[in-house]
Amino acid sequence: MTSSGSVGVVSPQTAHFAEPLTLKSGAVLPAYDLVYETYGTLNAQRDNAVLVCHALSGSHHVAGTYAGKPKSVGWWDNLVGPGKPLDTTKFFVIGVNNLGGCYGSTGPTSINPATGKPWGADFPFVTVEDWVAAQARLADLLGIERFAAVVGGSLGGMQALEWTLAFPDRVRHAAIIAAAPKLSAQNIAFNEVARQAIKSDPQFHGGHYYEHGVVPVNGLKLARMVGHITYLSDDAMGEKFGRKLRHGEHKYHWDVEFEIESYLRYQGDKFAGYFDANTYLLATKALDYFDPAFDYDGDLAAALARAKADFFVASFSTDWRFSPERSRELVFALIQNGLKVSYAELESTAGHDSFLLDDPQYHAVLRAWFDGIGV
Amino acid sequence: MTSSGSVGVVSPQTAHFAEPLTLKSGAVLPAYDLVYETYGTLNAQRDNAVLVCHALSGSHHVAGTYAGKPKSVGWWDNLVGPGKPLDTTKFFVIGVNNLGGCYGSTGPTSINPATGKPWGADFPFVTVEDWVAAQARLADLLGIERFAAVVGGSLGGMQALEWTLAFPDRVRHAAIIAAAPKLSAQNIAFNEVARQAIKSDPQFHGGHYYEHGVVPVNGLKLARMVGHITYLSDDAMGEKFGRKLRHGEHKYHWDVEFEIESYLRYQGDKFAGYFDANTYLLATKALDYFDPAFDYDGDLAAALARAKADFFVASFSTDWRFSPERSRELVFALIQNGLKVSYAELESTAGHDSFLLDDPQYHAVLRAWFDGIGV
């Protein structure tokens, strides 16, 4: 255990899967790689593994840093580490970059064996169900029959939920944080704006921009700007930026007048500099499609009847992307099935992004929940 | 009075103003036209005039239809007409297209006398204050010293408020509906996304697209799509579209899967087909800049001290663009000044757009308020 409670320097690994994967859409992925990281040690009983599922723009790099890159801190480093709520002295924690991703797992930037060129827009649609199926194969490879827990926030929470449905006997506990059992029309609407922004960028070239040596920077920037608005609460934006002026007075120009404009442009530019547009498109579609109640005439309780895990559900008061009401809907359906559910509705000013922050109350309840998991 | 209660066939008029107008930014508009419509008759005392101010994408065409175009119904036709809440048998109602507009008043599509070419992006910034100043000159021209009422929803409501501050003695009553005394950071953020969408469209050509014979269709479409999400409530979208599928099943394609996608694309395309992108940009900036409390260290009550009108303020429960809280802030500041304020916080599922609809309760309170105005 380092003094900082960090898992320290980590490095990703790659697992190759030669067996074809039939996706929910019916398309078949002939072979694929998954990039993953692990923290802690798998115990002799192999019953202390925790899978951390990432959200829209996340990755397998959950905790720690890469050698020589002290700023390359994992996205949930405040949660995962020795002595942290998800304690790596107790648990063997795994982060996986999902299929269709842009951090090393097979995705649109990978070579399509049929053409010898990057998949680009021809990469098949991937769903939450497909991600979970691929993660299960990685679990097989690592010799993990049953996870102590599967954990995720936002789109990651949907994967945790799906694990309890696709593999009820392979998940003892599931934590579903700042998520929803399905997107609302408004959620889909924001995704659609993001997609149209990317697809209408002339540099998108129908999704085959790699071959043109360009990137649909403007579209991806706009998509991220819209996303950011939905990640932050109105309150948080008000507190952080309000109507703060860049120059202390109205300049009557098209450059930045208000600091919020500068923040959004910066976030958009930064994101467009490292994230892949096709991956972004695929991830928004995976979000849209997820709806476990779809095959049950919308009856969520019926859809969840096969789950066996013990659940932890958390929501945040100012999250308007996936409001507490959406978590309550999930909790209610789980309870209807006689499942054990701990539900924390947390006060927070930070909106949807709260799930990534180390709010003391939030981390305290998560810590207590992880402490209660026997290994 | 027609049987339908419509003002019937109307036609716009144009007023030319040769006297330069110094704008809030310091820029000077050498001369300009305002296009307007009137309904009803100005009485002998000239005390029954009501000015209706339009919102972001509205126009002077408030009520009635144009000859031979039965579908060209004014945007607030359900409110304005003989026997309607804003009764044209009692009032002389005026609608004006604002400066910078694209419906005939001088704006970016007009010829810049300095260059002989359309103003385009060189059209000066216009503010709510400038619009009101120009409207006052039109009132002078029409021989209206004092309005019985100035009325508006959303950005139009901001103009009604500004009237009571810029010309306290020229407004007896003001109706400020679904508005706010200033934009929040989140409001500005959505405007900024819309602007970046338009400005990053290669067809924008720095705002001089007219000369290139093109229109930044994609950018304007995206701007409108984002706007539409903020005009509708999450509830309204849920009720109207929910997760309704175009094909009854997931097709796993980039075409429309969910009806909400189709609706947004349609609204975006339609808007991009008739609205001017430069006007849209200017209107979002006018929204951003409006803040009567700015010169009063943010003290809204101090800013409103010079108002003398009787006020009607209305908000809608599901309006998350300008929530009831924002109207209450305004009401509170007006009451602090000892002004007469009628405030209606109305139940509605339709979000911000509620102000345009003919909800019976909403129209009943508006009718009662207009009935109480002596002429």
Side-chain angles (χ1 to χ4, degrees), chain B residues 126-271:
Chain B
V126 280
T127 63
V128 169
E129 291 86 341
D130 300 326
W131 287 337
V132 167
Q135 289 160 3
R137 288 195 182 174
L138 179 65
D140 294 342
L141 190 85
L142 297 174
I144 298 159
E145 173 53 33
R146 199 171 180 216
F147 281 106
V150 179
V151 180
S154 194
L155 179 52
M158 291 173 168
Q159 293 161 60
L161 176 59
E162 177 57 26
W163 259 99
T164 70
L165 305 178
F167 303 103
D169 296 314
R170 299 189 70 173
V171 197
R172 284 196 286 142
H173 303 81
I176 299 162
I177 303 168
K182 66 184 178 203
L183 296 199
S184 70
Q186 191 188 68
N187 294 148
I188 296 171
F190 279 120
N191 280 347
E192 174 62 6
V193 170
R195 285 191 290 265
Q196 291 298 321
I198 291 170
K199 291 169 79 75
S200 69
D201 186 327
Q203 310 237 67
F204 183 64
H205 293 287
H208 294 286
Y209 44 89
Y210 317 114
E211 301 165 35
H212 294 79
V214 293
V215 168
V217 170
N218 284 324
L220 197 49
K221 174 182 177 175
L222 287 168
R224 183 63 161 183
M225 288 171 74
V226 171
H228 248 283
I229 299 176
T230 70
Y231 305 151
L232 297 181
S233 69
D234 193 13
D235 284 359
M237 273 200 185
E239 277 172 31
K240 197 166 174 184
F241 303 103
R243 295 179 54 86
K244 212 175 291 167
L245 292 161
R246 162 64 60 92
H247 303 287
E249 59 176 356
H250 299 158
K251 285 290 187 185
Y252 300 103
H253 61 198
W254 296 107
D255 290 341
V256 168
E257 287 275 14
F258 297 93
E259 289 294 352
I260 180 66
E261 298 172 280
S262 171
Y263 172 79
L264 280 183
R265 291 184 197 183
Y266 172 77
Q267 293 293 340
D269 284 331
K270 195 174 71 166
F271 189 69

Side-chain angles (χ1 to χ4, degrees), chain A residues 99-368:
Chain A
L99 280 178
C102 55
Y103 289 112
S105 291
T106 298
T109 58
S110 310
I111 298 300
N112 177 353
T115 64
K117 292 195 279 188
W119 283 95
D122 298 331
F123 197 84
F125 287 94
V126 281
T127 63
V128 169
E129 292 86 340
D130 299 327
W131 288 337
V132 167
Q135 289 160 3
R137 287 194 182 174
L138 179 66
D140 294 343
L141 190 84
L142 297 174
I144 297 158
E145 172 53 33
R146 200 172 179 215
F147 281 106
V150 180
V151 180
S154 194
L155 179 52
M158 291 174 169
Q159 293 161 60
L161 176 59
E162 177 58 23
W163 258 99
T164 70
L165 305 177
F167 303 103
D169 295 315
R170 299 190 70 172
V171 198
R172 283 195 287 142
H173 304 81
I176 300 162
I177 303 167
K182 65 185 178 200
L183 295 199
S184 69
Q186 191 188 68
N187 294 146
I188 296 171
F190 279 119
N191 280 347
E192 174 63 5
V193 169
R195 285 191 290 265
Q196 291 297 321
I198 292 169
K199 291 168 80 77
S200 70
D201 186 326
Q203 309 239 67
F204 183 64
H205 293 287
H208 294 286
Y209 45 89
Y210 317 113
E211 300 166 36
H212 294 79
V214 293
V215 168
V217 169
N218 284 324
L220 197 50
K221 175 182 178 176
L222 287 168
R224 185 62 162 184
M225 288 172 74
V226 172
H228 248 285
I229 299 176
T230 70
Y231 304 152
L232 296 181
S233 69
D234 193 13
D235 285 358
M237 272 199 187
E239 276 172 32
K240 198 168 176 183
F241 303 103
R243 294 178 56 84
K244 211 175 292 168
L245 291 162
R246 163 63 61 93
H247 304 286
E249 58 176 358
H250 298 158
K251 285 290 188 185
Y252 300 102
H253 62 196
W254 296 107
D255 289 340
V256 168
E257 287 274 14
F258 296 93
E259 289 294 352
I260 181 66
E261 297 173 282
S262 171
Y263 172 81
L264 279 183
R265 291 183 196 182
Y266 172 78
Q267 293 292 339
D269 283 332
K270 195 174 71 165
F271 189 69
Y274 68 78
F275 206 80
D276 179 63
N278 281 317
T279 290
Y280 200 85
L281 291 173
L282 289 172
T284 63
K285 290 291 271 187
L287 273 163
D288 285 6
Y289 288 130
F290 185 65
D291 182 8
F294 184 72
D295 290 331
Y296 295 83
D297 283 333
D299 183 342
L300 185 62
L304 304 185
R306 61 191 189 280
K308 294 179 181 174
D310 290 351
F311 286 82
F312 173 82
V313 178
S315 66
F316 299 93
S317 57
T318 53
D319 183 352
W320 62 281
R321 183 180 176 88
F322 297 140
S323 71
E325 193 182 344
R326 321 287 297 280
S327 282
R328 278 184 233 129
E329 188 191 333
L330 174 62
V331 168
F332 186 65
L334 291 168
I335 288 173
Q336 280 182 283
N337 282 296
L339 292 159
K340 281 173 73 174
V341 192
S342 300
Y343 175 51
E345 194 165 306
L346 296 151
E347 287 296 320
S348 166
T349 59
H352 187 60
D353 269 355
S354 301
F355 86 88
L356 294 167
L357 307 180
D358 61 352
D359 174 79
Q361 195 180 20
Y362 167 44
H363 271 201
V365 289
L366 260 180
R367 180 184 291 275

Side-chain angles (χ1 to χ4, degrees), chain A residues 12-59:
Chain A
Q13 297 170 261
T14 301
H16 181 71
F17 298 86
E19 195 189 337
L21 182 70
T22 301
L23 303 170
K24 199 178 179 196
S25 66
V28 178
L29 205 54
Y32 58 93
D33 289 343
L34 289 180
V35 170
Y36 65 100
E37 287 180 15
T38 68
Y39 323 105
T41 309
L42 187 61
N43 65 12
Q45 300 79 16
R46 299 182 167 274
D47 68 358
N48 71 331
V50 174
L51 177 66
V52 175
C53 304
H54 69 75
L56 192 59
S57 59
S59 73

